[in-house]
Amino acid sequence: MGELKLPPIDYGALAPMLILFGVACLGVLVEVFVPRRSRNAVQLVLALLGVAAALTVLVINRNTRIVTIGGAVAIDGPTVFLQGSILVLGAVSLFLIGERSVEAGGAFVAQAAVLVGSDKDSRQSAGQPGLTEVYPLAAFALGGMLLFVAANDLLTMFVALEVFSLPLYLLCALARRRRLLSQEAALKYFLLGSYASAFFLFGIALLYGYAGGVQLSVIHQAAANPQRSQLLLYGGLGLVAIGLLFKSALAPFHIWTPDVYQGAPTPITAFMAACTKVAAFGALLRVLYVAFEGVRWDFQPVLGTVAALTMLVGAILAVTQTDMKRLLAYSSVANAGYLMVGVLALNPDGLSSTMFYLVAYGFSVLAAFAIVTLVRDSDGEATHLSRWAGIGRKSPLLAGVFTFILLAFAGIPLTSGFTAKFAVFGAAVAGGQTWLVIFGVVTSMLIAFPYLRVVVLMWLSEPGETTPAVSIPGFLTSAALGLGVIVTVALGVVPAPLIDLTREASQFVR
């Protein structure tokens, strides 16, 4: 028998992922060999250099269109755009993670194994330097996200899902203050995420039984020329979708979102809200547009119902929230519904508008959480809405910036939120999903209420004795906040360059 020869692996196309995994491994070595007093600076610089190097290689190879590693990884327009988005948003998130001047020692616990409420816990919360293991964990998560959006078969996608999920479970438990809440959030995220992963893996088994392979192109061909029971196809699609809908925070698989967003350290909440959403929707786009395009008429009504339910749940429950981080969590749920409207257009405009929305929302939500880190008292961040009364009188600049971000979330013209919603709604109308657009417009009006309630609270209420102080942002927080605001303005006023870029990138390869 002749020797089986596999095509060579294109390491240039894989370089961004390999760089981040390498940086994560170097970060582990830094934890061992670098003295604790200088470890934070070294880890932050190493992580940022790794992201910059990965982004540079990605830009150099931006025209690469290839399926490599035996069909497991596809480098195409959407992959390059989504990987670039994850890297840029990840760099901004690292600014928030690396901030140490807003709170002494930073947002992260000094020793994760210290018993909550003990004397050691009291001492570490008083200002001991925070854990620096967060940087290699974040690098591993970013590397997994890059692989997740490039995965061209379901097993590779599952491995990537676990690679970026496991570090996130750990990161959620490392808050310096309110540690029990943080650990509870991590445990909930871990347990529910494990169930979602199990559903995803069982779906892969059913689809393998149906198609005889796990590559998306093989599933596409099998769906076009069915040889086995359609029950395997639809059962597999449903179970795989559950795993992806969980990560995307789409109803009814959004239950983890408010608890995890509230309990996790705020920089990690921002990281998840921006980067994880890009990764989750990137994988969902690839699965639906590449593997299951031939059965679009079967899954469109079901996922359309999911999108409508998500928009409704996010809008209604946001109205009832009294905690700022939970309000932003339900805002994230509603925005996942609007993103799903673009996904279900199932046309090139739907793909490009969804990618545009992911970038626009990512920068806005990073700016929002950057502001949340600054409103604090002696017990840490003051996230209860009643504590924000009169903030506009105490710090007009911060309140003005936060008002602008909230108006962007509401979709007010001349903000990135308006442009993004207009793009996904236009694509959905062209794709025959007018009913979803009507639903989206109505829920957009509903969810504007909690945003405007916060604006009224900040500007028209008198500051009380419990109104917290507004911390002076450090350089890293200022950079993250400034970038978020600038991009939110730019994409609302001159969105054409990014829209053109997404249109050029809206072509999958099989």
Side-chain angles (χ1 to χ4, degrees):
M1 292 179 63
E3 184 180 352
L4 178 63
K5 292 186 178 180
L6 295 175
I9 297 174
D10 189 332
Y11 288 102
L14 302 176
M17 294 168 267
L18 298 177
I19 288 171
L20 282 180
F21 289 135
V23 165
C25 293
L26 284 175
V28 174
L29 296 178
V30 168
E31 290 297 316
V32 177
F33 295 109
V34 175
R36 187 176 181 85
R37 63 180 178 275
S38 55
R39 202 179 291 164
N40 182 73
V42 173
Q43 289 280 32
L44 177 59
V45 170
L46 178 62
L48 288 174
L49 285 177
V51 171
L55 185 60
T56 301
V57 172
L58 185 70
V59 172
I60 292 172
N61 296 324
R62 64 187 180 278
N63 294 320
T64 300
R65 301 292 183 268
I66 191 173
V67 177
T68 187
I69 319 186
V73 172
I75 306 298
D76 49 25
T79 297
V80 172
F81 182 88
L82 292 168
Q83 287 185 340
S85 302
I86 290 169
L87 289 170
V88 174
L89 293 171
V92 179
S93 301
L94 285 171
F95 290 163
L96 295 178
I97 292 172
E99 182 61 76
R100 294 293 183 269
S101 63
V102 172
E103 178 173 7
F108 301 96
V109 66
Q111 287 183 286
V114 170
L115 183 66
V116 176
S118 64
D119 292 337
K120 285 186 177 181
D121 187 37
S122 300
R123 287 196 296 271
Q124 70 83 22
S125 65
Q128 291 184 8
L131 284 173
T132 52
E133 288 93 334
V134 294
Y135 298 105
L137 288 173
F140 271 121
L142 285 172
M145 292 175 193
L146 297 191
L147 180 59
F148 197 50
V149 298
N152 197 48
D153 73 48
L154 293 176
L155 274 180
T156 303
M157 192 172 287
F158 174 76
V159 171
L161 175 66
E162 296 306 300
V163 168
F164 83 79
S165 294
L166 292 174
L168 290 177
Y169 300 150
L170 294 174
L171 289 168
C172 287
L174 300 180
R176 176 178 292 271
R177 300 178 186 270
R178 292 185 282 190
R179 290 187 58 209
L180 285 178
L181 189 64
S182 177
Q183 292 170 2
E184 178 189 350
L187 186 60
K188 287 179 179 178
Y189 194 22
F190 169 68
L191 290 176
L192 294 175
S194 300
Y195 291 134
S197 296
F199 281 119
F200 190 91
L201 195 57
F202 192 30
I204 293 174
L206 294 182
L207 289 171
Y208 179 79
Y210 175 79
V214 293
Q215 287 187 11
L216 301 184
S217 58
V218 173
I219 296 171
H220 174 79
Q221 293 169 3
N225 301 288
Q227 303 294 324
R228 296 180 178 88
S229 170
Q230 296 286 90
L231 190 61
L232 292 173
L233 173 65
Y234 295 121
L237 171 59
L239 291 173
V240 166
I242 287 175
L244 295 176
L245 297 180
F246 174 86
K247 280 299 175 188
S248 306
L250 285 150
F253 310 104
H254 69 287
I255 301 298
W256 61 274
T257 311
D259 291 336
V260 173
Y261 276 37
Q262 182 184 20
T266 302
I268 300 304
T269 305
F271 180 53
M272 290 192 297
C275 298
T276 304
K277 197 168 289 293
V278 175
F281 272 96
L284 186 62
L285 284 166
R286 185 171 295 278
V287 167
L288 295 182
Y289 279 63
V290 176
F292 296 102
E293 184 185 16
V295 291
R296 58 188 296 174
W297 303 114
D298 298 310
F299 70 72
Q300 246 180 341
V302 178
L303 292 183
T305 303
V306 168
L309 179 63
T310 302
M311 292 184 282
L312 187 63
V313 167
I316 290 178
L317 292 184
V319 175
T320 66
Q321 299 308 306
T322 58
D323 184 273
M324 183 61 72
K325 291 175 75 174
R326 292 183 72 90
L327 190 156
L328 292 175
Y330 280 108
S331 169
S332 176
V333 171
N335 277 281
Y338 303 135
L339 279 160
M340 198 65 185
V341 174
V343 172
L344 291 176
L346 293 175
N347 55 33
D349 284 343
L351 177 56
S352 64
S353 63
T354 301
M355 293 192 294
F356 179 90
Y357 200 121
L358 287 167
V359 174
Y361 176 75
F363 278 101
S364 296
V365 80
L366 284 172
F369 281 111
I371 292 173
V372 171
T373 65
L374 300 176
V375 181
R376 54 196 314 117
D377 55 20
S378 58
D379 295 324
E381 295 164 358
T383 58
H384 197 281
L385 289 186
S386 63
R387 306 291 303 282
W388 288 61
I391 287 288
R393 309 284 181 90
K394 279 195 166 187
S395 179
L397 179 59
L398 179 135
V401 171
F402 197 56
T403 298
F404 174 72
I405 295 298
L406 292 176
L407 293 178
F409 287 150
I412 300 301
L414 299 181
T415 65
S416 61
F418 172 80
T419 310
K421 285 182 180 177
F422 187 85
V424 295
F425 289 168
V429 170
Q433 300 298 304
T434 305
W435 72 279
L436 275 179
V437 174
I438 296 172
F439 215 92
V441 171
V442 172
T443 54
S444 293
M445 291 187 287
L446 283 176
I447 203 170
F449 174 76
Y451 299 146
L452 295 177
R453 182 180 63 174
V454 174
V455 173
V456 169
L457 193 66
M458 290 192 299
W459 291 106
L460 300 183
S461 299
E462 291 292 334
E465 294 181 0
T466 61
T467 301
V470 176
S471 300
I472 298 173
F475 171 76
L476 295 174
T477 299
S478 299
L481 181 55
L483 284 171
V485 172
I486 289 169
V487 174
T488 301
V489 173
L491 295 183
V493 178
V494 283
L498 185 61
I499 290 175
D500 292 339
L501 194 60
T502 59
R503 286 176 176 168
E504 293 172 5
S506 59
Q507 184 63 50
F508 285 110
V509 299
R510 289 192 174 93

